[in-house]
Amino acid sequence: MRSRITCVARGVNGILTAVRAGLGIAVFARSLLSSDIVELPASTGLPALPALDLVLLPNPRAPEQPAAALTSAILSSGVPLKPEPSS
C-alpha cells in the first residue's frame, strides 16, 4: 500500500484540522478522537501500527518539579511501561 505525506504541522491541532478537512488519515491516541473523527476499522486493510517508545525530555531551563511530577504520575499509574509480548 502506497502512502504519502500530505500535511506537516508543528502541533496536533494542525493535523486534526487537516484530517477534518478530509486531506487524509493520521495516527492519534484514542483520547484525542472527537465525535467528528472516527477510528478506521481493521477491515480497511491498513497495516498494524508498530510499537513505539515515548520519551519525556524536559526543558533544561524549565523548573524541574513539573516534569518530575509527570514522571512520578506515569511510573505510579500501574500501566505497564512495555506491553507484554503477544503469543
Side-chain angles (χ1 to χ4, degrees):
M1 176 178 288
R2 289 186 49 116
S3 63
R4 64 188 173 113
I5 297 173
T6 58
C7 178
V8 177
R10 291 186 64 120
V12 70
N13 287 332
I15 302 298
L16 284 168
T17 300
V19 168
R20 286 183 176 117
L23 295 177
I25 61 173
V27 177
F28 290 115
R30 285 188 176 111
S31 61
L32 288 177
L33 297 180
S34 56
S35 61
D36 61 336
I37 297 177
V38 297
E39 181 175 349
L40 294 175
S43 62
T44 59
L46 292 170
L49 295 173
L52 71 121
D53 294 323
L54 297 176
V55 178
L56 178 62
L57 296 173
N59 180 340
R61 291 178 274 186
E64 291 181 27
Q65 199 279 334
L70 177 59
T71 300
S72 178
I74 292 169
L75 293 175
S76 66
S77 71
V79 176
L81 296 180
K82 289 194 175 215
E84 297 296 321
S86 47
S87 359

